[in-house]
Amino acid sequence: MTHDPVCGMEVKTPSEYYIDLDGKRYEFCSENCQNKFALDPNSYIEKMNKVEPSYRTTSDGIEKLTLPINGLHCTSCVNTIEKEVKKLPGIRVARVNYATEMAHVEYMNGETNTEEIIGAIKKAGYQTGQSTLKIGIRGMYCGSCVSKIEKELKQKSGVISASVDIATESAIINYIPGLVCINEIKNVIEKLGYKTFDTASVKMEKAEEKEKTTAEPVDENQLAREKEYKTLMSKFIFAAILSLPAILFSYPDLWGLPEQFQKGTELLTYIWIGLGLLSLPVMFWSGSQFYTGAWAAFKNRSANMHTLIATGISAAWLYSAVAVLFPGIFPSEELADVFFDVVFVVVALVVLGMALEIRAKGKSSEAIKKLIGLQAKTARVLRDGKELDIPIEEVVLDDIIIVRPGEKIPVDGEITAGSSTVDESMITGESIPVEKHIGDEVIGASINKTGSFKFKATKVGKDTALAQIIQMVEQAQSSKAPIQRVVDNVSGYFVPTVMILAILSFVIWYVFGPVPQLIYALIVFVTVLVIACPCALGLATPISLMVGVGKGAENGILIRSGEALETAQKLDSIVLDKTGTITEGKPSLTDVITSNGFKEDEVLALSASVERFSEHPLAEAIVKGADDKNLTLNDPKEFNAVPGHGVEANVNGRKIFLGNLKMMKKFSVDLGELEEKSIKLADDGKTPMFIAIDDKAAGIIAVADTIKPDSKEAIALLKKMGLEVVMITGDNTRTANAIGRQVGIDRVLAEVLPEDKAFNVQKLQNEGKIVAMVGDGINDAPALAQADIGLAIGTGTDVAIEASDITLIKGSLKGVVLAIQLSKATMKNIKENLFGAFFYNGLGIPIAAGLLYPFLGLLLSPLIAGAAMAFSSVTVVTNANRLRRFKPKLK
Amino acid sequence: MALDQILVIIGGLGLSIWVAWYFWFSEKKAVKVQSVEGGIQEAVIKVKGGYTPDVLIFETGKPIKLNFIREETAACTEEVVFSDFNKRATLTPYKTIPVELKIDKPGEYGFQCGMGMVKGKLIVQ
């Protein structure tokens, strides 16, 4: 038996298909494989000799594939994936390792392929750790180049899919990092005779250089926007300069021009003809977008701002052209007036408005750009004992990454060696750097300050906190606030309605208007078309939402949707979970009380020594308390746990009892006044433990879940905002009330089983209130989902908490205050915009139609209408940008 | 009433009715997208002042890939928003920008530019 070097299948020797080459015989399964081999024998020989045992062997037609899998939460996930993969044909082995989060699959080449296996894993509900690479390719001239490169890439092990685009000279390649690296992919392409180059998104620069230059990756969209701005500005300047003579000669009597320039003179007629010709480049270059936009929309049977402007200026131009060329056809001489100035000025102003709008809009989306810019480009990874600088796309789970002082942490992970302080402000909004030790979580994109450390990558690619934040923000910015529905109902009808209004105004002025009717009717027609601003209406909500959501992300508040934002500002009640939300969620040492002349440090040191090897959370709190005071601990001897009572042990020859009242009674320790003191501690929500040294009562050690430093202040702020604050907890009433008193909450729901939390939220809702629930997102998921707004307090890198509408990355309750204030500010801004837009159009259009003329003799000039229209949408964007200066009121 | 006035009235009313009919009531041409190999329903949408085609018909449950090609630099159409799916894409001029969707519920789903001026519709049957 031998193997076909082309397809890898087992072939019986002697095979009828063979080729002798360099003294060696190669045998094939079919003529097809034989022919393939004959065309390019070296590549197949090379492939055969290449040892790639780590992931793939083609020895007996069986492919071995190891794939990283993301999102494995339990051992049952393992079965699900294995089952799904085994459904595929030709699978020999499918094994998923829960601990390493790797799938190992052996399959028959030809019966299935990597893509199908990945598909099966996806179908089971999991993501494989794959990366996407965009790479530039130079030297492609035809469609066949595309298929050649694609085919070759797909043959490369580790490449899942490849799509080459000749127009953009680039390829998008999905691959599994670890199986293949970027350089190998490049080699494949270059071997075919093409040049590769890094596109902006995969610039492989060294981390240090990156820090120094802080060169932003080139954003093509930004470039396009800049270009468009420049084009519009030149169009504006062109139209603006030419509009000066137009204004001058359109109103010769107004400017008091010499007699030869007055109406009716031959010279002025020639000037007007000149202006008419001059207005052509203004219309068809400066104003070209109005015509192309209007035509494209018209073909689609829709109408937009361009339709209105194009119709307006065309009407003005046509009338003027007829008036200047064939004045004779008008019944009276005064009707032969020209409006070329309208063409010049309206085009100039509206184009200027569009340019300014682009500028302002660029600022509105700054927040997301900032987030994307936070991403590190490279990581220094330890592989096979060597330090390698690799692009961030190639970091895989469990990679050990080295971070030096001042460097950016590339992905999420857990510190395995060293310690440091880390500035996480860009992610959490917390300005004070956080200390990190072995076992602590680090967040990608945060900056290492002082120390060096190594960490294990736990989340890479799309799963990192930053990637999830970006995704959430983008989704929220694209979502629709319910208030937008009003606009949606209007906007579909807006432009055609304006057109009909313009036509009807024309008719009314023509039939009932003063002399000269035709002139008035035309002015009114053009003014109505020009003044209407559908853009302001369409922009009002989305632009504020974009700024508001972005501002939230800057402050560590992730708002899931426009709806969440809108509901958050209408809240009546806010339910706070106690543990982990108001409190730290883990006990710590609070009091050490001594008696019988024992010293505080002595009591604490001995208690901590006894508890040294216990894993009970209360014991850990005592040991940590002693560590914080730098006390020396000794190993306990004759350690004995008395279930339900406490522990006894011998430390440095001293007999120690540590436990509850029952423990002390059991060993007949006289507690004296300590018992009374312990009741007071318990009333304060603490857990007291007695300690006796050598059968004498020595004191009380009290441990409690401590309240977060700013919880009290935050709750006071929430109350000040007029919200009813309710605390919910599974703790006993006494402890719950004690905590409630300390933080200033009057309504306490205690002894609530976790599964009843949602029910309690519902009860509040039944009182007719709009209720927010704040919890940690894990135990409180049903309650968060039940509440009108669920706010999850994030824990480090877990930011995309499904059940929540708003995620607070930073653990502080102040985030809740901030989230509500931001929602209020954003909604206020949206309402201002909507009011402005509706008010502007609602007032502007009737005035333009001449509604005020019968009463005040007031009629708008189309020039004023053009200016109003141009600046109304700029105003909306500028108003939304005011939100960028939003400052929370936390006092 | 003079003849010209009557003509203007009739003309104006007629034009108004035509505007209403053309933009609101006339049947829009919908393009039915056939699924290709692998079950993907793929369509190319040209973006220039509007979306061409702007009404597309798809089948329920099969993945949809819309390839937007924005053939203009005017900022109006810079973004395309699918607010039913909280999806947004920035359309880089003259580049193919794919938007992938999978719609399991039949119905009509609109998409539009960032300002809601330019609109299109997906009909899922």
Side-chain angles (χ1 to χ4, degrees), chain A residues 220-221 224-225 228 296 298 300-302 357-358 477-480 491-493 496-497 503 510-511 534 538-539, chain B residues 4-5 8 12 22-24 26 28 48 51 54 73-75 78 83 86 88 90 92-93 95 115 117 119:
Chain A
E220 283 177 79
N221 297 311
R225 225 172 279 141
E228 177 68 7
F298 185 81
N300 287 329
R301 295 179 185 249
S302 68
E357 199 182 300
I358 289 182
Q477 288 182 337
S478 333
S479 72
K480 217 173 241 187
S491 70
Y493 299 101
T497 307
I503 295 168
Y510 190 83
V511 176
L539 271 176
Chain B
D4 61 326
Q5 289 178 327
V8 164
Y22 186 80
F23 291 110
W24 294 332
S26 67
K28 282 196 184 186
K48 196 175 181 188
Y51 300 113
D54 62 341
T73 50
E78 189 185 19
S83 50
N86 288 359
R88 167 192 296 261
T90 307
T92 313
K95 293 231 160 128
M115 298 180 221
M117 281 296 102
K119 288 183 177 181

